[in-house]
Amino acid sequence: AGGAAAGGGAGRRVQAGSSLPTCARSAVKVALDSTKVAYAPGEKPQFKLAVTNGSGTDCKVDLGAKAMVLTITNTGDDQIWTSKDCPKTAHAYYEVPAHAGITRAVTWDRRHSTTKCSGPTPPAASAGTYLVQLTTSVATVPQAQSQKSIRLDAD
């Protein structure tokens, strides 16, 4: 539910086994941003992952749904959605040029996620304020850039 789509400056997708070295966690920084603060009814929230490579070598980083985990919680701290539930692609490697950055976009379909990958469509999230958090083990995420608050407006 809520798959990822490449955004502007998305970088070149590479195979996991390519000869390009894997980026060192310490060389890569990721910042989470939301394209908007408030989303109208029916509008799908979109989040940007800005990935920068501070090393002097081009390398690859896994920007898949299980490596860059986005989790959305409500004001009661209940998990509503996470990218690691039933992703279309668990791993997605992208080339990040030396001393440069790329951007990936993740779109949330406004539905709850579930670990059951088949069956009825999960319910839609209700109007309200939500916290979007990014966690990853493949890069450094500065605390101030690891979470964003968004609002889903009512009809």
Side-chain angles (χ1 to χ4, degrees):
R12 182 173 65 97
R13 185 136 182 205
V14 296
Q15 295 299 316
S18 80
S19 61
L20 196 63
T22 299
C23 298
R25 183 182 192 278
S26 60
V28 179
K29 289 198 177 8
V30 181
L32 171 68
D33 200 5
S34 177
T35 55
K36 300 169 96 179
V37 174
Y39 292 88
E43 189 177 15
K44 294 179 180 177
Q46 192 172 63
F47 312 106
K48 290 190 317 187
L49 302 178
V51 183
T52 54
N53 174 5
S55 78
T57 308
D58 293 0
C59 56
K60 68 181 178 239
V61 66
D62 185 357
L63 302 181
K66 291 194 175 189
M68 296 282 167
V69 178
L70 286 178
T71 303
I72 298 174
T73 54
N74 64 16
T75 53
D77 207 27
D78 298 319
Q79 181 176 299
I80 303 300
W81 181 84
T82 179
S83 62
K84 66 183 178 181
D85 282 349
C86 303
K88 288 183 179 101
T89 307
H91 299 282
Y93 288 86
Y94 286 84
E95 179 179 359
V96 186
H99 301 295
I102 63 170
T103 303
R104 284 278 292 154
V106 177
T107 303
W108 175 39
D109 64 5
R110 293 177 76 129
R111 297 201 167 276
H112 288 249
S113 67
T114 175
T115 55
K116 294 183 179 120
C117 299
S118 61
T121 302
S126 54
T129 301
Y130 294 86
L131 181 66
V132 184
Q133 293 181 285
L134 170 66
T135 55
T136 183
S137 61
V138 300
T140 302
V141 184
Q143 181 65 32
Q145 297 172 326
S146 68
Q147 54 190 30
K148 290 290 171 190
S149 181
I150 63 164
R151 188 179 75 242
L152 301 181
D153 291 336
D155 288 331

